[in-house]
Amino acid sequence: MVGKKSGKALLREEGLERTDNNLDLTTWPQVNMINQKNYYTDYLKRDDQILALRLQNEDARNRMTKEARDRDRALALNGRTDPDGEIYGNDEVLPDETAASASGQEVWGSKIVVVHPGSQNLRIGLASDALPRTVPMVIARKWSSTESEDETEGPLPKRVKFSDDEHYKAEKLFGDEFAKEYGEMSQELKVHMRNNKRRVLPNSKEVIVNFNEKTEPENISEHNDPQRIDWTEIPKDPTQAPDFITGQAALRIPDNSRPKYRLFWPIRNGVFNEKDYASKNLLYQDFATIIEDAIKAQLSLKRKAEWAQYGCVFVIPDLYDRAYILQTLEMLIKDFGFGRVCFIQESLAATFGAGYSMACIVDMGAQKTSVCCVEDGMCVEESRINLKYGGRDVTDNFIRMMLFDHFHYQDIDLRRRYDYLLAEELKQKFCTMNEAEISQQLYDFHLRAPSQDTRKYLFKTYDEPLLAPMGYFRPTIFDHSQRMQGRRRLIDRSYDLYDGLPNDPMSPAQLAVIQYATGNPAFASAAAAPALEALTTTANTSTPGRQPQLNLLNRLNNESEATPRSSEAGSPAPDGTGTPQLGRAASPGAVAVQETANAQANAAAGALQQSIQQDKTLPIMPLDVAIITSITHAARGDERKFRDFLGGVMVAGGGGKIVAFKQVLEERLQIMQPAYARDILVGSPPRDLDPQVLVWKGASVFGKLSVTNDSWIGQMEYDRLGSRLLAYKCMWSW
């Protein structure tokens, strides 16, 4: 029997005896365990720990110090000092005025560039300017063929193809659907005019059709035309011809120039034009080139080295693509080298320009129309709407109606540059919404084409000038066949960094528009459906129902509830992996975790599919219905707000400059909401300000609010934090 061994012997025999002489394994200081019952951290809980906020506080302190020094200097210069050292001066001297005089009479806002890009025009200027410069948002590049020579696209307006042996009929030129829509609109107009005691001639259409068919154009030699166009001259030597031309000069390039040039429009329907570009880099390059050339030519800022002394206020849509904002910010900071940059939304800028604190802004652009309610200097996120039609569609619609009524210039093609300029001129001159002007009218226009004699056309119109802009209230008559082509072909949607879901902004009002366009409630939020139903049932009600606020998590949860739950037996694990199978022996906690993971995966897949479907759906809705939809979501059941927004509808943009458009819009809103007829008011910008420049004017006012504006992004902080700064700098939820 072996005797019992001592503990030291066991340690020595088993090799467990400690032999390190109590030396530490490392010289690094050892951190004691945190007491889980009582611990606290202030990490990222103070403003001075966030770079963006810390720089704002430092700027505020520096500004206060500078103002104090300027005040003391002003008192010393304009006052007198007594023997005791006290200063007596003129208290009416303002620090800002003194600082301006001391800095060499620099005009307030002269160091801030305001940029408002659009689908058709770019408005740019200094914040100190009274009005902006307007430059076409187009660039002409050397190309093998012009845009009018593209056989795959065909002429605009888009015609229906006929066989050679079929007899030509203008009534069939655009298909039966257009003819039906046009006939219904003409009949509705006649009924409306009779109800308003206006005279309607029974054979007006036949008279203008016969006149337009038989009238021949008159040729005018070039030396007898006092308003001939000066076309852009291109050097005959291809090596000396510029690679690109921007602005108005690009639209004046002859179609038969040598070398040939092709026009590109980087912005289409309010977003990047992915249809006409084969490369994302070329799209970004053209977008930057147009703005850069406009700054150099229109603002006389030739040297980019000086741009570091300037700030830039950039106007963005209310409903934007995050990729558009990120690319623009990088362009302004890195490529242009501006010292600081800030963004402002279109509707908010419009209220700054008009001086309104609460309004429903209807911004009617060339290819998009946006509706948004603004309250107390903030855009109501639930009310933002973006419709994909605008003034360019009215131009196209007017030309189609004239061709339908046997317009003699049947070869008009809006892809040709001189025809495009002619169509815009005809719309601006003749389109009206005043019923008193609807009669047989005789007009004329001059067709000026390069290397051709001027041709003078006589034509008659009846209801075409009024029915063309009426498409705003009946957008199905517009041509939407190529509207969504190329969407997401080059630039993918933005995804959240943590959950991988699409995070481009969306609003309940916009989802209601998508539901209206698709007619399928599965593609819209449950929060938007009651609002749309209320629009059709509140004609005789007095108080709109309260609409719940859209929540992304609620929508995902609703979608995940339709997903079948995992069975208790569990699914088999993949072959060749060590993943344990969740069977009946698995713990309830593991089953719950697996079910939660499946629900989250299904919800993410559903959200991605919903975002893809939304991109494929063209958001169109009658303008009056869209305004009521936006106001309904902005008021959220508050009758007082509902009345205030109805009384503060303001039309901005060039699309609203049609004669009597505001009166027609107000009348249609009153028909939709008869209980609030006395409260509805559609106004125009104050002080006779051009509605086309209202948004730019508001952005210039915003840029000059140097003391209260804390949304500026500087170069140093952008170099350190990049686009993460937008979460602290934007005035809306980024």
Side-chain angles (χ1 to χ4, degrees):
M1 181 175 180
V2 180
K4 184 178 181 180
K5 295 183 179 180
S6 63
K8 291 185 178 181
L10 288 174
L11 292 175
R12 184 171 56 255
E13 292 178 1
E14 298 294 337
L16 300 177
E17 185 177 6
R18 184 172 181 176
T19 59
D20 57 357
N21 298 326
N22 295 327
L23 295 178
D24 295 332
L25 297 178
T26 177
T27 58
W28 287 93
Q30 297 183 6
V31 180
N32 297 327
M33 296 294 295
I34 297 178
N35 184 3
Q36 298 293 330
K37 294 182 179 180
N38 186 15
Y39 72 95
Y40 174 77
T41 178
D42 59 352
Y43 177 66
L44 292 182
K45 291 185 178 181
R46 299 198 309 267
D47 290 350
D48 56 357
Q49 295 176 336
I50 300 175
L51 177 63
L53 302 179
R54 185 168 65 247
L55 292 177
Q56 291 180 7
N57 295 333
E58 292 178 359
D59 291 341
R61 286 195 298 269
N62 295 336
R63 191 184 306 111
M64 293 176 60
T65 303
K66 183 178 180 301
E67 290 178 356
R69 291 176 179 174
D70 294 340
R71 188 182 301 107
D72 294 342
R73 186 181 299 110
L75 293 175
L77 293 176
N78 299 303
R80 58 183 180 83
T81 306
D82 66 351
D84 297 333
E86 297 182 0
I87 299 176
Y88 300 93
N90 185 7
D91 295 338
E92 297 180 357
V93 179
L94 299 178
D96 294 340
E97 296 176 355
T98 305
S101 60
S103 62
Q105 301 295 332
E106 182 177 296
V107 181
W108 189 27
S110 60
K111 291 293 185 179
I112 299 176
V113 178
V114 182
V115 182
H116 179 204
S119 303
Q120 182 168 314
N121 291 314
L122 167 69
R123 291 180 173 85
I124 190 170
L126 298 175
S128 57
D129 296 338
L131 295 173
R133 283 81 164 175
T134 301
V135 180
M137 194 70 185
V138 63
I139 182 172
R141 288 190 174 276
K142 284 183 179 179
W143 216 257
S144 58
S145 62
T146 63
E147 62 277 4
S148 60
E149 297 174 353
D150 192 350
E151 298 180 355
T152 60
E153 297 291 343
L156 282 180
K158 191 175 181 181
R159 280 83 159 175
V160 176
K161 295 182 179 180
F162 293 99
S163 59
D164 296 336
D165 57 349
E166 185 175 357
H167 181 65
Y168 168 78
K169 292 182 180 180
E171 293 80 4
K172 301 293 184 181
L173 193 58
F174 303 104
D176 296 335
E177 184 177 354
F178 175 79
K180 180 181 178 181
E181 291 274 355
Y182 186 25
E184 291 178 356
M185 292 179 67
S186 299
Q187 189 63 30
E188 292 175 1
L189 178 61
K190 290 181 180 179
V191 174
H192 191 272
M193 293 179 65
R194 289 194 181 99
N195 293 337
N196 292 336
K197 310 299 182 182
R198 298 189 184 278
R199 184 181 179 186
V200 178
L201 298 178
N203 59 342
S204 299
K205 282 287 185 179
E206 292 77 5
V207 172
I208 65 171
V209 166
N210 294 332
F211 181 86
N212 292 337
E213 278 184 335
K214 299 177 181 179
T215 304
E216 295 292 335
E218 175 187 356
N219 290 334
I220 301 176
S221 58
E222 184 177 357
H223 63 275
N224 289 331
D225 185 6
Q227 298 180 354
R228 59 182 180 272
I229 296 176
D230 295 330
W231 301 96
T232 302
E233 296 184 2
I234 303 298
K236 296 182 179 180
D237 188 359
T239 59
Q240 297 181 358
D243 294 333
F244 62 86
I245 301 175
T246 63
Q248 188 67 29
L251 294 177
R252 297 298 187 185
I253 299 177
D255 291 79
N256 56 356
S257 63
R258 293 291 182 271
K260 295 182 179 180
Y261 284 83
R262 185 184 181 94
L263 298 184
F264 291 93
W265 304 81
I267 304 296
R268 183 169 177 258
N269 297 321
V271 295
F272 279 130
N273 183 6
E274 303 174 67
K275 173 181 176 292
D276 298 331
Y277 283 88
S279 170
K280 178 171 62 175
N281 294 331
L282 182 59
L283 171 60
Y284 291 157
Q285 182 180 352
D286 284 357
F287 180 67
T289 301
I290 295 174
I291 299 178
E292 180 179 348
D293 285 3
I295 294 176
K296 292 180 179 179
Q298 303 296 330
L299 306 184
S300 301
L301 299 177
K302 303 295 184 181
R303 300 176 58 227
K304 295 183 67 173
E306 302 175 356
W307 295 5
Q309 305 174 7
Y310 288 78
C312 180
V313 179
F314 199 91
V315 182
I316 63 173
D318 303 324
L319 280 176
Y320 52 85
D321 287 347
R322 292 169 67 97
Y324 174 76
I325 306 299
L326 298 179
Q327 176 62 30
T328 302
L329 179 60
E330 181 180 1
M331 175 191 71
L332 298 175
I333 294 291
K334 294 294 185 181
D335 299 340
F336 292 176
F338 283 116
R340 52 179 186 165
V341 176
C342 74
F343 295 100
I344 184 173
Q345 293 170 296
E346 288 177 341
S347 297
L348 181 59
T351 57
F352 271 96
Y356 292 171
S357 61
M358 187 174 185
C360 178
I361 304 299
V362 183
D363 189 357
M364 306 175 64
Q367 297 181 11
K368 76 170 181 63
T369 299
S370 62
V371 184
C372 180
C373 295
V374 180
E375 182 181 11
D376 296 334
M378 293 291 291
C379 291
V380 182
E381 295 184 354
E382 294 85 357
S383 67
R384 296 175 295 177
I385 288 179
N386 191 309
L387 305 173
K388 299 303 182 183
Y389 57 78
R392 177 64 186 270
D393 296 280
V394 176
T395 304
D396 184 84
N397 201 27
F398 180 59
I399 298 301
R400 287 201 296 170
M401 290 181 176
M402 292 302 302
L403 292 174
F404 188 89
D405 292 336
H406 295 258
F407 189 51
H408 192 77
Y409 183 31
Q410 291 287 331
D411 296 333
I412 187 170
D413 182 7
L414 299 188
R415 296 189 188 277
R416 288 197 294 258
R417 295 150 200 174
Y418 58 87
D419 282 346
Y420 163 75
L421 297 175
L422 172 64
E424 288 290 334
E425 180 184 356
L426 294 178
K427 181 193 71 172
Q428 295 175 6
K429 283 185 176 181
F430 306 132
C431 281
T432 179
M433 301 194 76
N434 185 7
E435 290 185 0
E437 301 179 11
I438 301 304
S439 61
Q440 298 181 24
Q441 300 284 350
L442 178 62
Y443 298 114
D444 66 83
F445 69 91
H446 294 77
L447 175 62
R448 298 177 175 90
S451 304
Q452 298 180 19
D453 290 338
T454 302
R455 283 172 285 174
K456 180 181 179 181
Y457 284 85
L458 294 175
F459 68 101
K460 281 188 176 183
T461 65
Y462 179 59
D463 56 0
E464 301 89 346
L466 187 142
L467 294 182
M470 283 296 290
Y472 283 120
F473 309 108
R474 192 166 183 163
T476 53
I477 198 172
F478 292 148
D479 183 14
H480 305 292
S481 58
Q482 300 180 351
R483 192 84 61 179
M484 302 299 292
Q485 287 187 2
R487 181 68 170 155
R488 304 297 185 189
R489 186 173 62 88
L490 300 177
I491 305 173
D492 195 9
R493 61 184 57 83
S494 176
Y495 297 94
D496 189 84
L497 184 62
Y498 297 100
D499 56 17
L501 298 177
N503 59 354
D504 284 329
M506 181 60 65
S507 67
Q510 184 71 6
L511 290 173
V513 174
I514 295 175
Q515 179 186 9
Y516 183 93
T518 59
N520 190 348
F523 298 145
S525 170
L532 190 61
E533 294 176 359
L535 296 178
T536 59
T537 59
T538 56
N540 298 319
T541 58
S542 58
T543 305
R546 180 175 180 83
Q547 306 300 332
Q549 185 175 2
L550 176 66
N551 190 330
L552 177 60
L553 295 179
N554 292 338
R555 186 170 76 249
L556 297 183
N557 292 335
N558 293 335
E559 294 176 358
S560 62
E561 289 177 1
T563 304
R565 298 173 63 87
S566 302
S567 62
E568 295 183 359
S571 57
D575 296 337
T577 62
T579 304
Q581 298 186 18
L582 295 177
R584 293 184 180 273
S587 63
V591 175
V593 170
Q594 183 66 23
E595 291 178 353
T596 303
N598 293 338
Q600 292 177 351
N602 292 331
L608 179 60
Q609 184 65 28
Q610 184 182 22
S611 178
I612 295 174
Q613 184 63 39
Q614 290 172 2
D615 287 338
K616 294 180 180 179
T617 303
L618 180 65
I620 58 172
M621 175 186 279
L623 183 58
D624 49 352
V625 180
I627 293 174
I628 299 298
T629 304
S630 177
I631 294 177
T632 302
H633 284 87
R636 287 173 288 187
D638 190 340
E639 184 179 2
R640 183 185 60 83
K641 286 186 178 180
F642 192 80
R643 292 179 182 273
D644 292 342
F645 283 129
L646 285 177
V649 178
M650 185 176 64
V651 178
K657 295 185 66 177
I658 300 175
V659 178
F661 175 79
K662 300 178 182 63
Q663 290 79 358
V664 173
L665 177 60
E666 184 174 323
E667 178 185 352
R668 296 184 69 91
L669 292 177
Q670 291 173 352
I671 294 175
M672 289 193 63
Q673 295 289 334
Y676 300 95
R678 295 184 178 180
D679 300 318
I680 296 176
L681 178 63
V682 179
S684 56
R687 301 180 297 276
D688 295 332
L689 188 63
D690 188 355
Q692 295 184 100
V693 303
L694 178 65
V695 174
W696 182 93
K697 190 66 177 178
S700 66
V701 173
F702 175 76
K704 290 185 286 188
L705 300 177
S706 57
V707 178
T708 58
N709 185 2
D710 55 358
S711 59
W712 289 103
I713 300 175
Q715 286 191 355
M716 185 267 289
E717 51 188 343
Y718 180 79
D719 292 339
R720 296 186 180 183
L721 297 180
S723 60
R724 289 177 293 173
L725 276 170
L726 294 171
Y728 302 102
K729 296 292 187 177
C730 291
M731 296 182 294
W732 61 90
S733 177
W734 175 259

